[in-house]
């Protein structure tokens, strides 16, 4: 069965950086786009980034563009989210999501991980 396990979250000061990882199993990883989604306390889900199956095309909303970078290593079945210049508004539970097809965009949410908490605070 599909499994997605996120890691790398934690507490970081404003202006700091974190790299999230998502280890995938149970499907042909390179055949699917991957997505990062977040949910801040008391708010709805927000799409953060997605990437196509071979890692050539990536997409971001304006809220994170220029600060966040999504990447993937198909040999390791892992997708990453490098987050720089973090602000308190980035505080959220971050989910790794498998897309329904290869392109990853527009995102079509399929299977979800359990999430990793990112807290940005001084």
């Amino acid at each position: 069965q599909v499994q997605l396990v996120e890691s790398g979250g934690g507490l970081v000061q404003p202006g700091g950086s974190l790299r999230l990882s998502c280890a995938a199993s149970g499907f042909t990883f390179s055949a699917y786009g991957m997505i990062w989604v977040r949910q801040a306390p008391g708010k709805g889900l927000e799409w953060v980034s997605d990437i196509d199956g071979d890692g050539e095309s990536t997409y971001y909303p304006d809220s994170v563009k220029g600060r966040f970078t999504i990447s993937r290593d198909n040999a390791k079945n892992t997708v990453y989210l490098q987050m720089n210049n973090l602000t308190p508004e980035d505080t959220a539970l971050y989910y790794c999501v498998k897309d329904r097809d290869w392109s990853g965009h527009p995102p079509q949410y399929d299977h979800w991980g359990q999430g990793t908490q990112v807290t940005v605070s001084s």
Side-chain angles (χ1 to χ4, degrees), residues 34-47:
M34 295 297 295
I35 307 160
W36 286 98
V37 177
R38 68 185 180 185
Q39 186 166 28
K43 297 189 177 180
L45 294 169
E46 179 186 13
W47 163 65

Side-chain angles (χ1 to χ4, degrees), residues 106-118:
Q108 301 178 77
Y109 307 129
D110 191 4
H111 289 86
W112 294 65
Q114 292 190 329
T116 185
Q117 178 68 40
V118 171

Side-chain angles (χ1 to χ4, degrees), residues 15-30:
S17 298
L18 281 176
R19 188 176 82 153
L20 306 184
S21 299
C22 172
S25 62
F27 63 102
T28 303
F29 184 68
S30 61

Side-chain angles (χ1 to χ4, degrees), residues 80-95:
Y80 305 97
L81 185 69
Q82 177 67 43
M83 306 185 296
N84 298 329
N85 195 20
L86 286 160
T87 74
E89 288 69 37
D90 296 313
T91 295
L93 187 61
Y94 283 72
Y95 295 97

Side-chain angles (χ1 to χ4, degrees), residues 18-85:
L18 281 176
R19 188 176 82 153
L20 306 184
S21 299
C22 172
S25 62
F27 63 102
T28 303
F29 184 68
S30 61
Y32 293 91
M34 295 297 295
I35 307 160
W36 286 98
V37 177
R38 68 185 180 185
Q39 186 166 28
K43 297 189 177 180
L45 294 169
E46 179 186 13
W47 163 65
V48 173
S49 183
D50 53 69
I51 188 168
D52 67 8
D54 64 11
E56 291 297 316
S57 295
T58 59
Y59 305 89
Y60 308 91
D62 288 344
S63 58
V64 307
K65 192 175 296 181
R67 300 188 298 122
F68 290 11
T69 303
I70 191 171
S71 61
R72 65 190 296 160
D73 185 337
N74 286 347
K76 295 182 178 180
N77 286 3
T78 301
V79 61
Y80 305 97
L81 185 69
Q82 177 67 43
M83 306 185 296
N84 298 329
N85 195 20

